[in-house]
Amino acid sequence: MLMSRGWDAFVVALLRASIGLLFFVVWLTLRPSENGMKDLRLWGWSAMAGVGVAGNFAFYFLSISEGSVAVASTLMYCAPVFVFLVSFALKLERPTPIKWASIGIVIFGIVLLTRVYSISPEELSLLGAGAGLLSGLSYAVFILSFKFASSHGSAQAILTIAFSVVVVTLFGPAEGNRLLVAFSSANWILFVALGTLGAGVSFILYVVGLKRTAPSVASIVATIEPISASVFGVLILNENLTRPQIVGMILILAAVTSLSGRSGSRSN
């Protein structure tokens, strides 16, 4: 909605991160004990996590602006696939035929969802699809970095450092001086809602939730995100999905949930 009103994707991403950072600073202030802020390893991994979030936010909104909410959200949800591929390369995860089959299904689903087989430029946005995949790759960087950082400090410390890096990273591309312009515009309530629900509250609830439920359960619940985003895109933004795209979306969600569920069941 903000981008349809002329706001640049980088500006929207910066505002989202800036408001989220305020929440994490308050959270860190309320829970200052054993935060690990003196550990250089925490700073290093948290900074890397921030780079991942910056890429995720920016590429995700760019994908939406160039394509659709449904395609962007589903491609971003491919992050667990990238995590598995990196884990295979680093020998942190053992590849199996079922895992490779699931990854193959995801790739086939991406072909259907993004309609790369179409030769009509009006029906396919390569920039939107590419940005969507890069948002998923960036989110995978955040997932892995957060995992390594969590052994050196608290979640609120990691998020505070990470989102500080996000703000610094996006400040230039977003022309940071537009922050005041955005908050003084008629769209300020949308920016506040996006930053509060899309960064501050959501990341805190996500971290707290992971401590209280099995990763396999969390991975299944996470499938609600692209489905709900697609429904909102169709009902509110009047976006359209073809039958092959719907099939592709279902294949991606099923395969990614299967991958995440298998990983989560082992960690339990």
Side-chain angles (χ1 to χ4, degrees):
M1 292 174 67
L2 285 167
M3 288 183 288
S4 68
R5 299 181 185 184
W7 293 99
D8 180 74
F10 287 101
V11 174
V12 176
L14 176 60
L15 264 295
R16 178 186 181 187
S18 299
I19 295 174
L21 177 60
L22 296 178
F23 278 83
F24 306 139
V25 170
V26 172
W27 191 20
L28 180 62
T29 303
L30 295 176
R31 300 281 298 275
S33 59
E34 300 180 359
N35 54 42
M37 294 291 278
K38 295 181 179 180
D39 193 329
L40 292 179
R41 292 170 296 181
L42 173 74
W43 282 86
W45 286 116
S46 298
M48 183 62 69
V51 173
V53 175
N56 173 247
F57 281 12
F59 287 124
Y60 182 54
F61 289 134
L62 181 61
S63 180
I64 291 176
S65 65
E66 296 294 330
S68 69
V69 172
V71 172
S73 61
T74 306
L75 290 178
M76 195 264 284
Y77 187 64
C78 291
V81 173
F82 294 114
V83 172
F84 267 90
L85 292 176
V86 172
S87 298
F88 292 165
L90 298 179
K91 296 182 178 181
L92 300 175
E93 190 86 26
R94 186 172 63 88
T96 65
I98 293 180
K99 293 173 185 175
W100 282 118
S102 297
I103 292 175
I105 291 174
V106 169
I107 294 174
F108 179 63
I110 291 173
V111 171
L112 294 178
L113 180 67
T114 59
R115 304 177 70 181
V116 294
Y117 52 82
S118 173
I119 60 175
S120 173
E122 290 79 14
E123 296 180 346
L124 172 66
S125 170
L126 291 177
L127 179 58
L133 288 172
L134 286 174
S135 71
L137 178 60
S138 298
Y139 192 57
V141 172
F142 165 74
I143 292 173
L144 291 169
S145 300
F146 188 93
K147 177 181 179 179
F148 289 125
S150 60
S151 60
H152 304 294
S154 64
Q156 53 268 36
I158 298 171
L159 291 176
T160 298
I161 297 171
F163 271 72
S164 296
V165 172
V166 176
V167 172
V168 172
T169 303
L170 296 178
F171 196 86
E175 298 180 4
N177 56 354
R178 299 193 66 188
L179 286 175
L180 295 178
V181 177
F183 281 120
S184 61
S185 71
N187 300 309
W188 68 270
I189 189 65
L190 290 178
F191 281 112
V192 172
L194 178 65
T196 300
L197 301 177
V201 174
S202 61
F203 271 80
I204 292 175
L205 291 179
Y206 180 71
V207 171
V208 172
L210 283 178
K211 295 180 180 180
R212 289 170 169 78
T213 188
S216 56
V217 176
S219 67
I220 295 174
V221 174
T223 61
I224 295 175
E225 179 179 351
I227 294 174
S228 60
S230 300
V231 171
F232 278 115
V234 172
L235 297 181
I236 298 178
L237 302 179
N238 297 318
E239 296 178 349
N240 296 313
L241 288 174
T242 64
R243 289 183 180 179
Q245 285 181 302
I246 295 175
V247 172
M249 183 181 301
I250 293 174
L251 289 175
I252 292 172
L253 297 180
V256 170
T257 302
S258 175
L259 282 174
S260 301
R262 290 179 180 278
S263 178
S265 62
R266 282 193 310 277
S267 65
N268 293 331

